[in-house]
Amino acid sequence: MSDEATSVFARALPLIETTLRRDFRLPREHARAVEEDIGLWFSRFVLRPGSGKAEALRMQLFCAMCEAGRRYWQWRLGGAPVVDYQVRRALAREPEEMARELEAKLRQRQKRKKRPKPEEESDS
Amino acid sequence: MSGELVQFPSPPQRLSHEEGRAAAARALATPISEREAKASELYLDEPELLVPLCELLTRQLETSPSTVCEEAEFFYRFVSIPRRPIGLFDEREYFMGELALIAGTACRVLFRREQARRWFDIAETNVVLVANGAAHVARLAYQKLALAVEERRFDEVLKLAPVWSENFLQLGMPEDALKCRFLVGIALWESGQLRDSVELFRGICDEAEAIQSMRLIAQAVNNLAQLYATLGEADEALACSLKALPLQKQLGDRVGLAKLQWGMGDLLRGQGNVAGALEAYRSALREAGEVGMRGDVAALHLVLADVLLGAGQDRQAEWEIRAALPIIEEEKMVPEGYAALSLLQESLRRRQIDRNALRNLHGYFRDPK
C-alpha cells in the first residue's frame, strides 16, 4: 500500500474495528479477517485511475466496511434472516449514510486531537 | 458496490504488489493462444496481477493500440466468462469495466468506431456498479466525446466537453479536465476558429506545465505546431514542432510522433519543399503502420498520392492510391465519402487519376490531431 493509503487506512482502522464489533457484532477473530480484506481491497482501490487522493477516498473505505459487514452476515447465516436486533439495525442502514456518519466521527476525533490542551495554554 | 457473495474467510492473497507486477509482465509475454491453459500457473484471476496489467495496457495505448486491443479483449473474456470470483467486493466489475474501456479506447485509436462504441457500452454496464463509479463514468464520457470529435460531431463536443471538464475538476481529476479542453480546442480548429483554438492550446500548455503532465504538454505543443502551420506561420510552427519532437520520442508516443511528422509534412509542403514533405509523410506513414493505425495509413497514402501527382509522378501516385483503397474498403471507412471513393476507383480503372475525388476523399479523414 502507498504511504498515503496506509496512513488513511491506519487512521480509520479503530473506527472500522469498533463498528464491525459493536454495530455488526462480529466476533473478534472474524472482525480481524474482515479488516484484512478491507485493507487489501483499499490498497488496490487507491491505485485505480481517477481515484484521486487517498484521504478523499475514506468515505469509500467506510462504504466497503458496511458492505463487508453485510456480506459477512449473508455468509454466516446462508441467507437466513438475522435475529439480533442490533445487527438488523446496522444492516438496514444505507452504507453511504453510515459511511458519512463515520467520516464525521473521525473528523471530530482528529479535531479533538489537534486542539491544544488547556494546561498547555496556561503554561505558555 | 455489488457482485457475488464474498467468500469468508476470503482466499489468502497469493501475490504481493511487486509479484503481481512481474506476473502481469509474464502473462503478457505468454502467447494468447497458450494463456488460458496456463491460467492457474500464470495467476490470471489474481487482482494483484490485473491492477498492474490494466496500467501497462493503458500506458501502451498510444504506442501499440492493436496489441492493447487484443490483450484487453482476451482479459475481458477471461474475467467475464465463466463467471469466476475475482478479488474482493466490486473488483470483478471494476476489472471488466476497465478492460472494456481500454479495449474501446484502443478501437477508437485504431479507427474502429463501431467496435469502440460497443466496448464503451459494455464498460458502462460495469462501471456503474463499482465504488467511486462517478469517476469511471466521467472517464467513459471523455472517450465518447473523443469519438464524437472523430465523427465530426463538433456542436455536441463544444457543448458537452466544457461541462465534463468542470466535472473532472470537481472529481479531483485535473489531467482529465485538461483533456476535455483539448477536445474543445480540436472542435474549434475543425470548425475553422483557428485563432480561438491557438489561444486555448496555449492555455492548455501553461496548465499542463503547472500540473507537470509531460504527455499533455507534448500533445498541446504538437497541436500548436499544426495550427500555426495551417495559419501559415511557419516559424512558430517549426519552433513548436522542434519542441514537441524530443518530448514525443521521450514518451515513446508513436501515435503522437506519426501525427507530428504528418504535420511537418504539411508545413514543408506549404513551403514548396516537396522532397522534405514526402520524407516527413513517409516517416509518419511508417510510424502509423507500425502502430497499426490503419485509418491514418490510408489517409497518408492518399496525401502522398496528392503530393506525387503535383510533382508529376503519376505512376507512384497511383501506387499510393492502390495501397490505400483496400484499407478503406476493409475497414468500411468514410461511408460519407462513398461518392468520392467511387469516382477515384473509376478514375484508377481509366488510369487517369481524378484529383478532385482524391482530395475529397482524403479530406474526410485528413485529421492529424
Side-chain angles (χ1 to χ4, degrees), chain A residues 1 30 33-34 37 40-41 43-45 47-51 60 64 68 71-72 74-75, chain B residues 1-2 4-6 8 10 13 47-48 88-91 94 98 131-132 135-136 139 173:
Chain A
M1 217 186 300
H30 286 176
V34 169
D37 278 357
L40 261 182
W41 173 83
S43 71
R44 292 193 287 261
F45 177 69
L47 297 176
R48 295 182 188 179
S51 286
Q60 303 292 345
R71 289 174 187 213
Y72 169 82
Q74 284 174 332
W75 164 81
Chain B
M1 263 188 250
S2 97
E4 303 273 284
L5 277 184
V6 75
F8 191 86
S10 58
Q13 188 187 16
E48 290 294 346
L88 298 161
F89 310 131
D90 63 345
E91 289 189 303
Y94 166 70
E98 189 64 15
N132 197 24
H136 301 294
R139 292 170 63 227
M173 300 162 74

Side-chain angles (χ1 to χ4, degrees), chain A residues 86-106:
Chain A
Q86 181 79 21
V87 179
R88 256 183 22 219
R89 210 174 62 163
L91 294 179
R93 296 186 65 190
E94 282 297 322
E96 287 77 13
E97 181 205 335
M98 209 164 177
R100 264 197 301 276
E101 203 177 282
L102 291 169
E103 172 68 21
K105 227 183 245 180
L106 191 65

